[in-house]
């Protein structure tokens, strides 16, 4: 009876997020405080045009590549109903926890039930839910990335050439949903360059060139897709990115083993390493235009909003940057390869106005699947630690829902 009770409890941890997402769909939930719904309504005209085979004038509504809208237009041509298109996409969005699990099981040799519960906890991440309910291109790109990485892992298991082709194909699909995913595409291409024979890499490179040809046509149809917004103030972007990254790192630091490992790294820090951290932090803060933080900028992330909600200033936000910089340095010192996750994420979020949706759930997903690392190992090897991670996600969901009901973010005067 105890065994059955435990299994039933674990099953609820999977079923409740699934059920809650359908309930959120029925009530048009948008935990992005309106952003995902606004994006969907803005670009719905593109979906309608594509379903009628009209491919011009998309530049009036979006600067993204069109694959996501082609995908929605396909379902629209079948159902001819906006609500059913969104429901179709919601069901498609469940492929994220499924492929996250399939990736994890190839990287971490832990109990499958642990990996399943961890994967399905992502259904409670607020911006994942908003993007699933309102059919957002960010989520489509992340799902294609996960599928592509799955075949990359299969190519490592069995050195089969067509697995590598499928890997690049799905990464190209991710890029044709959102241009910034070209950074991830280049990452995998560089891995092949470093690890494959010249003949194999040449074939993969030529295949990549072939995959890039449609992009030229998409740019011709919508010139805005080539106008990627780059930050006008590097220091503001740097401090915001570190603050948002630290917010998501908090979910991965939810067990004593990880905290102890990072604590040990503190004691072996060299003087020159501490000096570099002080110089970087000081240089960024000295050059930061604090007038930007006083202006009514959108985005900024969780700690930015929290700072102005509680204190009506930037103190918590600045502290999150300083602590985040220090914790990130300790993590990289512990496992140097993790540096590339930070670098990829930073390059993918070089905008001037930084929104948390650029990182959520992508940043956590990259920590899960790009490298086997101590942060994930310390969570996945123990059901108690998975439940701690799950609990933090639930708390974040509750906070986001309270914010959604009371519209606190929009009431902030910055």
């Amino acid at each position: 009876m105890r065994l059955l009770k435990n299994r039933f409890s674990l099953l609820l941890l999977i079923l409740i997020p699934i059920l809650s997402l359908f309930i959120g769909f029925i009530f048009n939930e948008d935990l992005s405080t309106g952003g995902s719904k606004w994006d969907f309504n803005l670009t719905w005209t593109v979906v309608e045009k594509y379903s009628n085979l009209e491919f011009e004038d998309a530049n009036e509504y979006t600067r993204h590549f069109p694959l996501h809208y082609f995908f929605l237009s396909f379902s629209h041509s079948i159902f001819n109903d906006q609500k059913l298109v969104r429901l179709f996409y919601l069901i498609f969005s469940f492929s994220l926890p499924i492929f996250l699990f399939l990736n994890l099981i190839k990287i971490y040799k832990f109990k499958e039930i642990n990996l399943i519960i961890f994967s399905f906890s992502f259904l409670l991440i607020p911006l994942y839910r908003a993007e699933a309910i309102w059919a957002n291109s960010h989520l489509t790109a992340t799902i294609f990335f996960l599928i592509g990485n799955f075949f990359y892992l299969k190519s490592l298991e069995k050195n089969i050439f067509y697995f590598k082709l499928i890997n690049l194909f799905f990464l190209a699909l991710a890029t044709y949903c959102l241009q910034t995913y070209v950074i991830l595409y280049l990452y995998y291409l560089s891995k092949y360059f470093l690890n494959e024979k010249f003949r194999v890499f040449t074939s993969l490179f030529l295949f990549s060139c072939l995959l890039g040809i449609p992009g030229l046509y998409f740019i011709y149809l919508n010139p805005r897709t080539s106008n990627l917004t780059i930050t006008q103030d590097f220091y503001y972007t740097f401090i915001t990115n570190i603050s948002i990254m630290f917010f998501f790192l908090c979910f991965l630091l939810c067990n004593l083993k990880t905290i102890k490992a990072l604590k040990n790294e503190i004691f072996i820090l060299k003087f020159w390493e501490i000096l570099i951290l002080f110089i970087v932090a000081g240089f960024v803060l000295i050059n930061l235009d604090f007038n930007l933080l006083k202006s009514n900028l959108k985005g900024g992330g969780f700690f930015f909003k929290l700072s102005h909600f509680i204190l009506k200033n930037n103190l918590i936000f600045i502290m999150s940057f300083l602590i985040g910089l220090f914790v990130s340095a300790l993590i990289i010192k512990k496992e140097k390869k993790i540096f590339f996750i930070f670098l990829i994420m930073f390059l993918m979020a070089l905008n001037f106005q930084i929104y948390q949706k650029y990182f959520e759930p992508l940043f956590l997903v990259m920590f899960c699947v790009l490298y086997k690392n101590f942060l994930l190992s310390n969570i996945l090897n123990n059901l108690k630690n998975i439940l701690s991670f799950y609990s933090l996600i639930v708390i974040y969901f509750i906070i986001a829902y309270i914010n959604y009901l009371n519209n606190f973010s929009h009431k902030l005067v910055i």
Side-chain angles (χ1 to χ4, degrees):
M1 287 299 297
R2 183 185 302 171
L3 182 62
L4 288 173
K5 183 178 179 180
N6 290 340
R7 287 183 175 177
F8 180 72
S9 299
L10 295 178
L11 183 62
L12 284 179
L13 293 176
I14 299 169
L15 293 179
I16 288 175
I18 295 174
L19 180 62
S20 73
L21 200 54
F22 280 108
I23 294 173
F25 175 84
I26 292 170
F27 290 98
N28 289 326
E29 173 193 302
D30 184 2
L31 299 186
S32 67
T33 63
S36 295
K37 182 178 180 180
W38 184 85
D39 283 344
F40 178 81
N41 289 330
L42 177 67
T43 57
W44 179 250
T45 302
V46 179
V47 175
E48 291 181 317
K49 283 179 174 290
Y50 285 174
S51 64
N52 294 322
L53 303 180
E54 299 174 14
F55 302 117
E56 297 180 354
D57 301 324
N59 60 314
E60 297 180 22
Y61 309 98
T62 182
R63 66 174 61 202
H64 293 166
F65 273 152
L67 183 60
H68 171 74
Y69 308 113
F70 278 130
F71 181 60
L72 295 184
S73 69
F74 173 75
S75 58
H76 180 52
S77 63
I78 297 173
F79 303 117
N80 197 30
D81 181 272
Q82 187 184 94
K83 196 90 172 180
L84 289 176
V85 170
R86 288 176 50 216
L87 180 60
F88 169 79
Y89 186 85
L90 182 76
I91 296 170
F92 166 75
S93 73
F94 287 112
S95 59
L96 185 139
I98 292 171
F99 274 98
L100 180 59
F101 165 74
L102 292 175
N103 275 268
L104 289 173
I105 204 169
K106 289 191 173 297
I107 303 171
Y108 298 96
K109 306 304 180 183
F110 300 130
K111 292 181 180 179
E112 288 189 8
I113 188 63
N114 290 12
L115 303 184
I116 292 172
I117 292 171
F118 176 84
S119 299
F120 276 84
S121 71
F122 276 60
L123 298 184
L124 292 171
I125 294 178
L127 279 172
Y128 163 83
R129 296 174 64 87
E131 291 170 355
I133 292 170
W134 291 101
N136 195 277
S137 59
H138 285 267
L139 182 56
T140 310
T142 302
I143 291 171
F144 284 144
F145 156 62
L146 271 174
I147 298 173
N149 191 76
F150 172 73
F151 283 99
Y152 175 74
L153 295 174
K154 286 181 69 71
S155 75
L156 295 180
E157 279 184 341
K158 301 176 181 179
N159 190 21
I160 299 176
F161 182 70
Y162 69 82
F163 284 156
K164 300 165 189 175
L165 295 179
I166 298 174
N167 162 244
L168 293 177
F169 174 74
F170 276 100
L171 288 167
L173 294 185
T175 303
Y176 282 133
C177 292
L178 212 61
Q179 297 94 306
T180 52
Y181 278 70
V182 73
I183 303 297
L184 274 165
Y185 192 99
L186 293 174
Y187 163 77
Y188 285 93
L189 204 57
S190 67
K191 295 280 283 187
Y192 290 132
F193 175 76
L194 294 173
N195 298 302
E196 298 291 343
K197 295 179 180 178
F198 179 76
R199 179 180 57 81
V200 174
F201 172 74
T202 301
S203 300
L204 293 172
F205 181 77
L206 293 174
F207 181 65
S208 299
C209 293
L210 183 65
L211 291 174
I213 292 175
L216 300 176
Y217 182 62
F218 294 151
I219 292 173
Y220 169 76
L221 288 177
N222 184 359
R224 287 183 66 196
T225 57
S226 62
N227 296 328
L228 296 178
T229 55
I230 304 297
T231 181
Q232 302 167 14
D233 190 307
F234 174 80
Y235 305 104
Y236 170 75
T237 300
F238 184 80
I239 193 173
T240 306
N241 282 355
I242 294 296
S243 173
I244 295 175
M245 288 179 190
F246 173 59
F247 173 72
F248 291 110
L249 287 176
C250 290
F251 293 94
L252 303 178
L253 303 176
C254 58
N255 62 85
L256 292 175
K257 190 173 181 180
T258 296
I259 294 172
K260 184 178 179 180
L262 295 181
K263 183 180 177 181
N264 292 336
E265 293 299 321
I266 296 175
F267 293 123
I268 60 174
L269 277 173
K270 297 180 175 61
F271 173 77
W272 64 268
E273 292 172 327
I274 298 174
L275 182 62
I276 288 175
L277 284 175
F278 271 104
I279 290 173
V280 170
F283 187 74
V284 171
L285 291 176
I286 289 171
N287 287 278
L288 180 65
D289 183 359
F290 282 87
N291 290 323
L292 289 175
L293 301 182
K294 294 177 182 178
S295 61
N296 190 20
L297 287 175
K298 298 178 181 178
F302 181 85
F303 288 120
F304 183 70
K305 295 290 196 301
L306 183 68
S307 189
H308 284 272
F309 180 75
I310 295 178
L311 302 177
K312 294 182 170 44
N313 59 40
N314 298 299
L315 181 60
I316 296 175
F317 177 61
I318 298 297
M319 290 302 300
S320 71
F321 159 67
L322 294 173
I323 298 172
L325 183 66
F326 183 67
V327 170
S328 300
L330 292 178
I331 291 172
I332 293 170
K333 182 175 173 58
K334 174 71 176 175
E335 285 192 23
K336 292 181 174 56
K337 61 188 177 183
I338 294 178
F339 168 77
F340 292 102
I341 297 177
F342 288 98
L343 179 62
I344 291 168
M345 192 69 255
F346 193 91
L347 292 174
M348 292 179 70
L350 272 179
N351 303 57
F352 178 52
Q353 290 185 347
I354 308 297
Y355 295 91
Q356 197 152 311
K357 69 179 181 180
Y358 302 153
F359 299 78
E360 185 177 335
L362 177 62
F363 188 57
L364 286 175
V365 166
M366 285 200 294
F367 261 96
C368 292
V369 304
L370 278 189
Y371 298 106
K372 184 176 182 179
N373 59 78
F374 76 102
L375 293 172
L376 261 293
S377 293
N378 291 344
I379 294 174
L380 299 176
N381 68 355
N382 186 293
L383 182 59
K384 182 180 178 181
N385 292 338
I386 290 175
L387 294 179
S388 296
F389 176 88
Y390 197 109
S391 299
L392 286 177
I393 296 291
V394 170
I395 292 170
Y396 178 33
F397 166 74
I398 293 171
I399 293 172
Y401 211 89
I402 293 172
N403 179 52
Y404 166 66
L405 293 176
N406 293 278
N407 211 17
F408 289 133
S409 293
H410 289 292
K411 294 177 183 177
L412 287 177
V413 179
I414 300 174

